[in-house]
Structures are given as C-alpha cells and as structure tokens.
Amino acid sequence: MSMAPNPADPPGTSRSTSATIQPNILRYLVVVADERGVDLRPLLKQMGLDEPVMRSAALRVSYRQGSAVIRRALELTGDERLGLRVGAAQHLTAWGLLGFALMADDTLQHAIETGVKYQNLSGAMVVWSAGVGQEDDAFVLRADLPDPAMDPAVASFLSEEAFASVVTLSRLAVDPAFAPRAVEFSFPSPRQLDLYSALFRCPVRFGAPANRMIIDAAWARARMPGRDPVGYASTLEMLDEQMASRRDQQDLLEVLEISVAQSLPVVPSFGEQARRHATSERTLRRRLADCGTTYEALVEGVRRERVEQLLLRPELTLRDIARRAGFSDERALRRAVRRWHGASPVELRERMRTARL
C-alpha cells in the first residue's frame, strides 16, 4: 500500500499487523507443546488469547501475534523441528468448510488448487502458489514467506509446518502411501535430518531458491475417495461468501491502519475514526470485534511496525524513534519493545541488522 506523509519516514503498515488469520496453527501448537511438557496457555492468555477465546470460531490473529507465539514456543520446547511436528498433527476437520471442500474435490491436484484459492480461510501463515512444473508434468506447490525479514527460526517453522501439513492431510484424504517426489527448503540444512526423511519419505533438499514440494503427475491425478461434485459446488458457494466478507473486513483494517500510520506521531482518537467512517463508535467497535481485534490492538500493531522500520536506520537515536512513533519518551519505547520482543531497542536493532547481512 502506498502512503508518504513524510518522505523521510517509511510506510508504517502491512498485512502482518492485522488480525485476519484463523489460529489453526496455534491451536495445534498448543497440543504439540503439551505433549512435550510445555504449557503455552499462560503465554496465549498474556496476549489476550485465553482458552475461551481460542475456542471461538470467529477468532482471528495477526502474523505478529502468531509469530510471537511460535518464537516463544521454539524457545520453551528447545525443539528446532517443532514445525514438522505441528504440521504432522493436523487434520482437515480443523479447516472447517474448506476442509470439507477439499475432501469432496475431484483429484488431489484440484484439491490443492482449491486450497490455494481459498488459502486466506485456512489459517495459512505462508503464501501458497501452485502449478505444473516446466521440466515435466509434475505438479509443484510453493510456499513463500509473507515477510522476507521474518525471524529465521519462525520462517523455518512456518515452511516446515506448511509442507508437513500438506503431506499429512494428503495421506489422510487420499492414500497413506502418498509421498512427494521431492521437498525443497530455502533455509540451510539442519543438524538432524531423520525426522524429514521419516515424514516426507522422499529426497529433501536445503538451501534451495524457494520452498517447494514436487508431486508426481500420477499422485496429482489421484481421485479423492470422498469426491462429491454436488457437495463440492455447494460448499464453494459458502466459501465465496466468506471470502467476500473477509475482503470487507480486510478493507476496514487496512483503511484504519493507513489512517493511524499517516497520523503518527499523533494517534487519532477512536471517536475521530468513527466520524471519518460516518458511523457510531459502537458500530465501529462491533465491526472491529467481528474482525477479531480492537482499535487499541490495531494502533499497537502499526506503532510496532513503525518502530521496527525506524530501528533499521542507524542515523536515528532512540529519542528520534520514540518521538516519530508517538511514544512519550525513551522509557516508554523501551517498555514497548521489551513487551513485543523480549529485548531492548538496542538489542533488537543489532539483531535486525545482523539478520539483514
């Protein structure tokens, strides 16, 4: 999105700020962490995601919330391959209507293409794309990260979880013998490889240009045992309605984010935002609740995004950053960064600088 209230300041919002993702990954992450003796519920509660909230079908989380929970889960469990375990624990029923549509689809390839089309309803935290490969008629599924500057550990988790879930769900829905031709990850080779070969049952390559899964044409053409053309068509009608509703929600969140980002360091009051949208505060608050968020959380996300961008500019002091992001002083900035990242602004700046080298 484009905005430039001050040529010296970078844009201050991205889709990673908004709460638009179904928390399927986090729900399974809690289960897998429990099995490893780690209780993530206190962390989720601290972030406003207690058990009643997590059970809500209307709940949505942001990339930032999801990434923060994943990062902390990796630290607490000490399991570098946690993404593989979370992906392998999943079932299509967690995807609701989309899961039913995939089971009722005609072939595995078409089911995957349907999943890609409606990925915003699946709780995916990667960006999926799919198509027939150039070298032969193999079917290629690709998973890109929403933010190239994402924490490497979280990026690895999401890439592993993505392909582990595809393999697991394909075996549950099509044939337990399913195996891709090859799986490629863009991150470096880890120390332990046994879990990869045991799960994927195919060659796994690391340090690749992109995260890809190559599926032989024979498997791609495999018929879905539960295929039902009528059930599939009627389910797609409901999914299309959900997608239209989701677009309306995303439009509202993006407009508000842009408004806050353009106004920093001053944050528009909630009453002012309601007047801009020609609605009452009660109605706007209800619409935000339907999106699974609040105005306060949205403002926090935009300010966090702005702080992280400003920390990448070495010529700016902490006082400069605090002022431009709308904090009262450096102490308030330090407290916020510590809450977001568990580190001081200086430590975060160095971490981000190293990650970009």
Side-chain angles (χ1 to χ4, degrees):
M1 59 190 65
S2 175
M3 56 186 156
N6 183 336
D9 286 337
T13 184
S14 76
R15 70 175 185 163
S16 67
T17 303
S18 302
T20 58
I21 308 168
Q22 289 186 338
N24 295 337
I25 293 177
L26 299 190
R27 289 183 174 126
Y28 280 102
L29 181 58
V30 170
V31 173
V32 172
D34 276 345
E35 295 171 351
R36 307 187 73 74
V38 174
D39 185 4
L40 295 179
R41 292 171 187 82
L43 172 63
L44 291 170
K45 187 174 182 179
Q46 183 181 357
M47 301 180 67
L49 301 172
D50 57 18
E51 288 196 67
V53 172
M54 287 292 288
R55 287 196 295 267
S56 170
L59 175 63
R60 299 292 182 270
V61 298
S62 68
Y63 279 97
R64 295 202 174 283
Q65 284 178 304
S67 297
V69 174
I70 291 168
R71 185 181 302 109
R72 186 60 178 148
L74 289 167
E75 295 170 354
L76 292 172
T77 62
D79 186 351
E80 295 179 350
R81 306 280 69 84
L82 195 60
L84 293 179
R85 303 185 201 281
V86 172
Q90 296 184 36
H91 197 282
L92 276 168
T93 52
W95 292 15
L97 282 176
L98 179 56
F100 180 82
L102 300 184
M103 290 187 287
D105 213 329
D106 186 42
T107 65
L108 176 60
Q109 176 175 331
H110 201 269
I112 291 175
E113 291 171 339
T114 298
V116 169
K117 178 180 179 180
Y118 295 99
Q119 61 185 286
N120 289 340
L121 301 177
S122 71
M125 290 182 68
V126 297
V127 181
W128 290 108
S129 57
V132 177
Q134 296 179 349
E135 61 275 7
D136 53 26
D137 59 352
F139 184 62
V140 180
L141 179 62
R142 175 167 170 159
D144 292 308
L145 298 170
D147 181 0
M150 181 178 289
D151 181 303
V154 176
S156 297
F157 173 98
L158 293 178
S159 303
E160 292 176 347
E161 183 278 332
F163 287 147
S165 63
V166 169
V167 166
T168 299
L169 298 178
S170 296
R171 288 171 183 160
L172 289 172
V174 182
D175 191 322
F178 170 78
R181 179 192 298 179
V183 174
E184 299 173 347
F185 290 109
S186 60
F187 55 84
S189 176
R191 292 188 297 270
Q192 297 179 339
L193 300 176
D194 293 349
L195 193 56
Y196 292 92
S197 56
L199 176 61
F200 293 115
R201 305 176 198 163
C202 70
V204 180
R205 295 185 280 271
F206 300 92
N211 299 308
R212 303 195 312 161
M213 176 180 290
I214 298 92
I215 301 173
D216 282 326
W219 276 119
R221 292 193 295 265
R223 303 295 293 274
M224 301 293 286
R227 61 187 178 277
D228 182 334
V230 175
Y232 175 76
S234 60
T235 305
L236 286 196
E237 290 181 6
M238 291 184 281
L239 290 175
D240 286 336
E241 292 176 0
Q242 288 188 9
M243 286 285 285
S245 174
R246 179 68 58 83
R247 280 192 293 270
D248 290 342
Q249 293 179 351
Q250 187 64 37
D251 287 345
L252 171 64
L253 294 173
E254 288 188 354
V255 167
L256 288 173
E257 286 181 351
I258 292 172
S259 173
V260 172
Q262 289 180 332
S263 300
L264 286 177
V266 177
V267 176
S269 69
F270 188 70
E272 183 178 348
Q273 294 286 20
R275 287 192 293 274
R276 290 180 183 180
H277 285 78
T279 188
S280 68
E281 292 185 31
R282 181 178 179 181
T283 298
L284 182 57
R285 200 172 298 280
R286 177 183 55 77
R287 291 184 65 192
L288 285 172
D290 290 341
C291 297
T293 191
T294 64
Y295 184 59
E296 293 74 19
L298 185 144
V299 170
E300 175 110 336
V302 173
R303 295 173 79 184
R304 175 173 175 169
E305 184 89 3
R306 178 61 59 87
V307 167
E308 291 169 358
Q309 291 173 331
L310 294 175
L311 281 171
L312 292 172
R313 295 172 55 181
E315 76 276 11
L316 297 179
T317 67
L318 294 186
R319 180 179 297 177
D320 293 332
I321 294 172
R323 177 178 53 80
R324 295 190 186 201
F327 290 96
S328 57
D329 53 32
E330 292 178 50
R331 287 181 299 176
L333 171 66
R334 290 193 183 95
R335 287 196 297 269
V337 173
R338 178 71 64 178
R339 184 173 67 252
W340 297 331
H341 293 279
S344 71
V346 173
E347 292 168 339
L348 178 61
R349 171 176 263 172
E350 179 60 24
R351 183 192 303 170
M352 296 169 67
R353 186 193 68 81
T354 302
R356 292 170 71 92
L357 293 179

